[in-house]
Each structure stands twice: as structure tokens, then as C-alpha cells.
Amino acid sequence: MPNQTPPQPHVIPEPEDRDYLLKRADQHRRQGERCDDASRTIHARFQRMYEDRAAALPLTDD
């Protein structure tokens, strides 16, 4: 079994993780509003990436 990769550790996301990701998405949205077209595109991609990562986190019951 030398070709098998070790399993990824199971990490339970903290409620703050979603808040952090959404905060970063908002920062990129605001930065994109002040940039030229090329930079705006990059900030839009980062915004979507952070929003997608936040959406992919499982909901936690508090």
C-alpha cells in the first residue's frame, strides 16, 4: 500500500471561520470597487473564493 495517501485530518470549523471568510470576501469586494478593471477582476475572484469557502463549511449547532 505504498501508493495510498494518508487521510486528511478531520477539522471541525469554528463559528469564527465563516465570519472570517465572509469578512475577507467583503474586503475584496470593497477593494475591487476602487481599482482598475484588471485588479477588479482579481478581487472579484478572491471575493467568490472566500464566499464559496464560507458556504462549504458545515453549519454548526450552537
Side-chain angles (χ1 to χ4, degrees):
M1 291 184 249
N3 292 333
Q4 289 182 341
T5 58
Q8 295 294 323
H10 182 70
V11 177
I12 299 173
E14 297 293 325
E16 298 85 25
D17 292 347
R18 183 181 313 281
D19 294 339
Y20 169 78
L21 292 170
L22 293 175
K23 177 182 168 185
R24 294 291 292 144
D26 188 54
Q27 288 172 340
H28 280 287
R29 180 191 57 78
R30 285 185 278 124
Q31 286 176 324
E33 291 172 351
R34 299 185 303 253
C35 294
D36 58 30
D37 288 341
S39 295
R40 186 174 298 124
T41 300
I42 293 169
H43 284 294
R45 287 182 183 179
F46 275 110
Q47 177 186 351
R48 280 192 303 275
M49 179 197 70
Y50 281 113
E51 290 170 343
D52 290 347
R53 288 181 65 189
L57 289 177
L59 296 175
T60 57
D61 296 329
D62 291 335

